[in-house]
Amino acid sequence: MRIGIDRMAFATTNDYLDLVELAKERGVDPNKFTIGIGQDLQAVVPPTQDIVTLGATAAKKLLTPELEKNISTVIVATESGIDNSKASAIYIKHLLGLSDFTRTVEMKEACYSATAAIQFAKGVVALNPQETVLVIAADIARYGLNTPGEVTQGAGAVAMLISRNPHILTLEDTTVAYSKDIMDFWRPLYATEALVDGKYSTNVYIEFFLQTFTRYQQLTGRELADFAALTFHMPFTKMGKKGLEGLLKDRNDEVAQRLRTQLTASQLFSRQVGNLYTGSLYLSLMSLLQNSDSRAGSRIGLFSYGSGAEGEFYTGILEDGYEHYMNNIQEELKHRHQVSVAEYEKLFSSQLGMNDRDIEFDVTNDPLPFVLKGQKDHQRIYEAK
């Protein structure tokens, strides 16, 4: 039985910041951001949006009444949880109007957990072929104003349906997971911004990619020529390049050139949105599929990484007509609203965060279909507009 990704959709906020403007304001050479880090624009989060609203918005784009009938499980992968007990998946299930006979759960392991969610979903479908699992990777990456990590912030959600006879990507059986207890990135319960050792984290990322890919080759006997493309977790797009070049080194033959070209295609959307944490790999996959001439039957490699640390390398085969089962991301990004650095700083500081007060937000100007209206009696209040 073929099991894999049947549909995909992406959602982000309506506001964005031009990182050239941010560089000028911070007294930094813009090339450090646009070339050195590989980012151009960054999603800016208003207080009326969080992982629940973004996740529900992404899912709404791919659901139909007929598809909803088969959803047995909703899994939200995030490291931006809004509650230490209650799963964000329950809120999203409610906003989407899904059946109460639905399993809902939230998963965490830094940026990696969406991949674990997909693997678990594959198991659910294998046992119950009539069922579909909705996997949502939703995150808001925050490092603080005027900090070294500020340029690698971002926000958004990727929603995916995992089912039998998928229309986008059939998952192959061999996967390689690799984990170690490493303090390259973490966020204590009392903190709203992450702590990170950037250089160390980059080195660990490359090591985990090489470990998992080498092990995959040992298990399957496959070579680089067997892949149409390799996609990467991209907290910033230069990270994916570092991973690929760590594998290719000085190799410059036709296969290496093809993989570099495909990597560029997979970076385009991340350059315009920023860091999605759990969703970054899957935005990379959507970018590849919408900005290249990938052909049905091609094998795509996916490298997932989450600091702390865990990595996984796995593969899928593209299905015929895959392009019809995703939303048009580039077209949607054209209609966002640019904010100034001052406006960005104000919005950044207006997030609900760990505030315990009652608060009501003005949702009038938020165009997304789901909004966070505020908080009352320690409960977040959501609305479907």
Side-chain angles (χ1 to χ4, degrees), residues 52-119:
V52 168
T53 58
L54 291 171
T57 297
K60 181 180 174 66
K61 294 179 181 182
L62 55 72
L63 291 179
T64 66
E66 191 62 31
L67 291 171
E68 290 175 6
K69 294 177 183 177
N70 297 323
I71 294 176
S72 68
T73 305
V74 179
I75 307 175
V76 174
T78 186
E79 58 178 283
S80 310
I82 60 167
D83 191 288
N84 288 326
S85 176
K86 187 173 180 178
S88 53
I90 293 179
Y91 294 99
I92 291 176
K93 187 223 80 169
H94 174 72
L95 287 174
L96 294 173
L98 298 179
S99 167
D100 286 345
F101 293 99
T102 303
R103 182 185 299 111
T104 54
V105 69
E106 181 175 312
M107 297 182 62
K108 178 180 70 178
E109 172 31 47
C111 303
Y112 162 77
S113 60
T115 297
I118 288 172
Q119 300 297 349

Side-chain angles (χ1 to χ4, degrees), residues 13-255:
T13 62
N14 188 56
D15 298 325
Y16 74 91
L17 174 68
D18 188 325
L19 293 180
V20 170
E21 297 301 316
L22 180 65
K24 292 177 180 178
E25 181 68 24
R26 300 293 186 248
V28 175
D29 181 354
N31 288 335
K32 182 177 180 180
F33 290 174
T34 60
I35 299 175
I37 301 296
Q39 298 298 127
D40 295 322
L41 309 176
Q42 183 179 105
V44 174
V45 186
T48 49
Q49 292 296 318
D50 66 6
I51 61 165
V52 168
T53 58
L54 291 171
T57 297
K60 181 180 174 66
K61 294 179 181 182
L62 55 72
L63 291 179
T64 66
E66 191 62 31
L67 291 171
E68 290 175 6
K69 294 177 183 177
N70 297 323
I71 294 176
S72 68
T73 305
V74 179
I75 307 175
V76 174
T78 186
E79 58 178 283
S80 310
I82 60 167
D83 191 288
N84 288 326
S85 176
K86 187 173 180 178
S88 53
I90 293 179
Y91 294 99
I92 291 176
K93 187 223 80 169
H94 174 72
L95 287 174
L96 294 173
L98 298 179
S99 167
D100 286 345
F101 293 99
T102 303
R103 182 185 299 111
T104 54
V105 69
E106 181 175 312
M107 297 182 62
K108 178 180 70 178
E109 172 31 47
C111 303
Y112 162 77
S113 60
T115 297
I118 288 172
Q119 300 297 349
F120 296 165
K122 183 180 177 183
V124 170
V125 176
L127 290 172
N128 304 282
Q130 75 282 4
E131 296 183 3
T132 297
V133 178
L134 172 59
V135 172
I136 298 172
D139 268 303
I140 296 172
R142 289 173 60 96
Y143 295 97
L145 299 176
N146 205 11
T147 64
E150 184 177 32
V151 68
T152 62
Q153 297 178 142
V158 176
M160 297 170 276
L161 292 182
I162 309 301
S163 72
R164 64 176 175 175
N165 302 323
H167 286 100
I168 296 178
L169 194 72
T170 292
L171 302 180
E172 296 189 287
D173 290 336
T174 302
T175 71
V176 178
Y178 185 79
S179 62
K180 286 185 176 182
D181 185 2
I182 292 173
M183 298 301 290
D184 62 328
F185 173 106
W186 67 103
R187 183 168 67 84
L189 289 176
Y190 53 78
T192 57
E193 281 83 48
L195 304 173
V196 59
D197 184 335
K199 184 173 291 187
Y200 181 40
S201 188
T202 298
N203 292 337
V204 174
Y205 173 102
I206 296 171
E207 176 200 345
F208 274 46
F209 170 56
L210 296 178
Q211 289 280 5
T212 55
F213 186 77
T214 299
R215 178 63 173 162
Y216 175 87
Q217 287 185 301
Q218 292 169 348
L219 293 173
T220 63
R222 292 184 180 128
E223 303 294 336
L224 276 177
D226 295 315
F227 293 89
L230 298 177
T231 55
F232 293 83
H233 165 58
M234 291 186 191
F236 53 93
T237 64
K238 194 66 172 289
M239 185 77 98
K241 179 178 174 60
K242 288 177 181 291
L244 181 60
E245 293 304 328
L247 178 66
L248 296 179
K249 301 187 186 305
D250 295 328
R251 185 168 169 173
N252 200 32
D253 57 11
E254 185 275 331
V255 171

Side-chain angles (χ1 to χ4, degrees), residues 5 19 111 146 153 248 269 271 302 309 316 334 339 354 372:
I5 302 175
L19 293 180
C111 303
N146 205 11
Q153 297 178 142
L248 296 179
F269 293 155
R271 291 188 71 97
L302 299 96
K334 291 178 182 177
V339 298
M354 295 186 176
L372 172 63

Side-chain angles (χ1 to χ4, degrees), residues 280-292:
S280 291
L281 169 60
Y282 300 99
L283 182 60
S284 169
L285 175 61
M286 295 183 76
S287 185
L288 170 73
L289 299 183
Q290 295 188 17
N291 293 292
S292 71

Side-chain angles (χ1 to χ4, degrees), residues 298-325:
S298 298
R299 175 174 289 109
I300 306 297
L302 299 96
F303 173 62
S304 180
Y305 177 77
S307 295
E310 186 155 3
E312 184 165 341
F313 183 83
Y314 70 110
T315 59
I317 303 298
L318 276 181
E319 293 295 328
D320 186 37
Y322 65 84
E323 65 273 13
H324 301 300
Y325 296 90

